[in-house]
């Protein structure tokens, strides 16, 4: 029944921010139905007892569709299109499919076998996935006979902080760090690690650093704990594992010696008036600077769209994301649609899945 809607019971059962539970009518009586946990139970049960191979969908349409990127938006779009009878090919630049589901969410939150099971289901339906296949020229894709293209390349670039010393040895960006660990690369960390940021990527990076053997791991966040965008359950888990929270503090300088990190200088913050996001704006307290000794700094303050990997002729918004029609999700190029983080900026998995589904309807 769930797969009538989307293919990600196991993924969403673990990493979804479950906005549906906030709206669940049952919450007015006692508490919302545990929708996310139910999905996780179903997926885990299926993994335990095994499932039959999915029957390939019948091809009822002639027009081929290309999807660029195999993260949640791209996979969701391909899933809906293949079930409508369209031939679909996904082009993925990385060695394995999954996008940030594979390379941005650590194993302790989303086991690879859960992700692999759900991607293999999509492939069994008939979606072709070509890994190690970058696409820089959309004309080449159209020339191969594809009638429409869905761009779902994500926001895989890391946002810089613009403070002195952030290019020193020992400073690593959160997504790069998580990607290296997920790829099986050996990542060397010192004993003391500071993670800058308050989102899920920051909390994930802190918990992974702890698992890699760092003795002291701290999350430095400029607002209060209540304003942290990360899931409160994940923050609580991190604290339970021994990660320290330094709230209402913002780094102003990475301290170095011989071009290597030795510490960070932070300033204490206080909350002022609400800003555009509705959260109270953090304001530095004059003269409250303090230094902390660290061996590594992991910067996880946001993700940006990497324009270098996208075709040149596309138009962008002032935020640096792809400009699309708000209803159809079509870009400035006819037949080229886009969705997920490359359009919205960094968001959550279920929002990316939703835009993939919307794009499939438009296509």
């Amino acid at each position: 029944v769930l797969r009538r809607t989307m293919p990600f019971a196991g993924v969403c059962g673990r990493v979804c921010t479950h906005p549906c539970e906030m709206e669940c009518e049952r919450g007015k009586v006692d508490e919302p139905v545990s929708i996310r946990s139910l999905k996780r139970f179903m997926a885990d049960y299926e993994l335990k007892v095994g499932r039959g191979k999915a029957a390939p969908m019948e091809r009822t349409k002639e027009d081929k569709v290309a999807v660029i990127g195999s993260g949640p938006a791209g996979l969701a779009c391909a899933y809906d299109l293949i079930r409508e009878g369209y031939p679909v090919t996904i082009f993925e630049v990385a060695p394995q499919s999954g996008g940030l589901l594979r390379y941005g969410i650590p194993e302790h939150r989303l086991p690879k076998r859960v992700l692999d099971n759900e991607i293999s289901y999509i492939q069994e339906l008939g979606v072709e996935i070509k890994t190690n296949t970058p696409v820089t020229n959309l004309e080449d894709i159209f020339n191969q006979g594809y009638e429409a293209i869905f761009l779902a390349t994500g926001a895989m670039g890391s946002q810089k902080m613009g403070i002195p010393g952030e290019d020193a040895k020992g400073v690593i960006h959160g997504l790069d760090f998580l990607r290296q660990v997920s790829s099986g690369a050996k990542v060397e960390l010192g004993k003391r690690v500071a993670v800058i940021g308050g989102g899920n990527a920051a909390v994930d990076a802190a918990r992974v650093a702890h698992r890699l053997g760092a003795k002291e791991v701290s999350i430095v966040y400029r607002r209060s704990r209540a304003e942290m965008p990360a899931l409160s359950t994940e923050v609580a888990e991190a604290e339970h594992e021994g990660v320290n929270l330094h709230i209402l503090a913002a780094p102003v300088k990475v301290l170095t010696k011989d071009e290597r990190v030795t510490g960070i200088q932070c300033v204490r913050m206080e909350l002022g008036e609400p800003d555009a996001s509705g959260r109270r704006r953090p304001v530095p307290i004059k003269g409250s600077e303090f230094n902390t000794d660290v061996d590594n700094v992991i910067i996880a303050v946001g993700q940006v769209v990497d324009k270098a990997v996208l075709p040149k002729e596309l138009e962008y918004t002032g935020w640096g994301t792809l400009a699309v029609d708000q209803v159809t999700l079509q870009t400035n190029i006819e037949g080229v649609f886009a969705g997920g983080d490359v359009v919205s900026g960094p968001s959550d998995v279920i929002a990316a899945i939703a835009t993939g589904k919307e794009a499939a309807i438009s296509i």
Side-chain angles (χ1 to χ4, degrees):
V1 170
L2 180 71
R3 283 196 178 115
R4 289 177 196 165
T5 311
M6 60 111 168
F8 295 118
V11 168
C12 286
R14 282 172 167 78
V15 303
C16 187
T17 52
H18 53 84
C20 54
E21 292 181 28
M22 301 288 285
E23 300 296 327
C24 176
E25 290 291 303
R26 183 75 207 181
K28 293 175 182 172
V29 182
D30 42 33
E31 60 183 23
V33 175
S34 302
I35 302 168
R36 182 175 74 173
S37 298
L38 286 167
K39 287 177 183 169
R40 178 168 174 161
F41 170 78
M42 285 190 279
D44 288 359
Y45 182 79
E46 182 184 71
L47 271 179
K48 191 170 77 177
V49 301
R51 67 167 172 85
K53 206 170 178 184
M57 298 303 299
E58 187 186 348
R59 303 283 168 85
T60 57
K61 313 287 197 305
E62 295 284 306
D63 300 333
K64 295 195 299 181
V65 181
V67 174
I68 318 295
S70 66
L75 290 168
C77 182
Y79 180 71
D80 280 13
L81 287 169
I82 198 85
R83 292 187 307 149
E84 289 287 339
Y86 290 93
V88 186
T89 305
I90 297 177
F91 297 86
E92 170 56 54
V93 68
Q96 287 181 282
S97 55
L100 277 181
L101 296 176
R102 183 178 303 280
Y103 294 108
I105 302 177
E107 178 78 17
H108 69 260
R109 276 227 290 153
L110 180 55
K112 301 294 179 278
R113 66 190 187 95
V114 173
L115 177 62
D116 290 340
N117 178 52
E118 298 188 337
I119 292 176
S120 66
Y121 182 85
I122 297 168
Q123 289 175 294
E124 286 162 22
L125 293 179
V127 173
E128 181 186 16
I129 301 179
K130 293 183 174 181
T131 53
N132 290 313
T133 312
V135 173
T136 50
N137 187 343
L138 298 179
E139 205 55 46
D140 291 347
I141 300 295
F142 283 125
N143 290 340
Q144 289 175 44
Y146 292 96
E147 292 294 321
I149 297 171
F150 178 55
L151 290 170
T153 50
M156 301 289 270
S158 292
Q159 196 167 308
K160 288 199 158 195
M161 294 189 65
I163 59 172
E166 75 173 309
D167 295 323
K169 287 175 188 159
V171 177
I172 183 168
H173 285 275
L175 269 189
D176 297 338
F177 171 66
L178 292 169
R179 192 183 295 130
Q180 286 170 22
V181 174
S182 294
S183 304
K186 192 163 174 56
V187 180
E188 298 281 353
L189 289 179
K191 289 182 179 174
R192 297 162 303 182
V193 177
V195 181
I196 316 299
N200 284 317
V203 177
D204 283 346
R207 295 179 72 186
V208 169
H210 188 61
R211 281 161 170 72
L212 289 178
K215 295 285 180 270
E216 285 178 39
V217 182
S218 304
I219 293 175
V220 181
Y221 181 57
R222 61 196 185 132
R223 287 184 163 103
S224 71
R225 179 178 171 143
E227 269 110 356
M228 288 182 81
L231 286 168
S232 57
T233 50
E234 291 297 315
V235 180
E237 289 282 344
E239 285 189 296
H240 181 68
E241 289 172 5
V243 173
N244 300 312
L245 272 192
H246 291 317
I247 55 171
L248 289 168
V252 289
K253 187 179 185 181
V254 176
L255 306 173
T256 60
K257 185 180 179 183
D258 300 328
E259 296 184 358
R260 177 147 196 101
V261 174
T262 58
I264 50 170
Q265 183 175 89
C266 297
V267 62
R268 299 203 184 279
M269 312 291 278
E270 60 185 355
L271 295 178
E273 293 300 309
D275 62 11
S277 73
R279 295 177 299 169
R280 291 171 68 193
R281 186 188 299 279
V283 181
I285 300 171
K286 271 189 180 171
S288 65
E289 287 82 2
F290 64 97
N291 295 349
T292 305
D293 295 337
V294 294
D295 303 305
N296 292 94
V297 176
I298 299 173
I299 298 174
V301 293
Q303 295 146 234
V304 293
V305 173
D306 185 357
K307 295 182 182 179
V309 301
L310 287 163
K312 304 278 182 287
E313 59 269 33
L314 291 162
E315 286 179 7
Y316 293 85
T317 67
W319 295 99
T321 54
L322 278 183
V324 296
D325 182 287
Q326 291 300 301
V327 176
T328 65
L329 301 184
Q330 187 165 248
T331 65
N332 59 303
I333 304 167
E334 193 177 343
V336 179
F337 301 79
D341 288 3
V342 75
V343 170
S344 64
S347 187
D348 51 37
V349 171
I350 197 65
I353 291 169
T355 59
K357 293 177 72 63
E358 290 286 344
I361 294 166
S362 291
I363 290 167

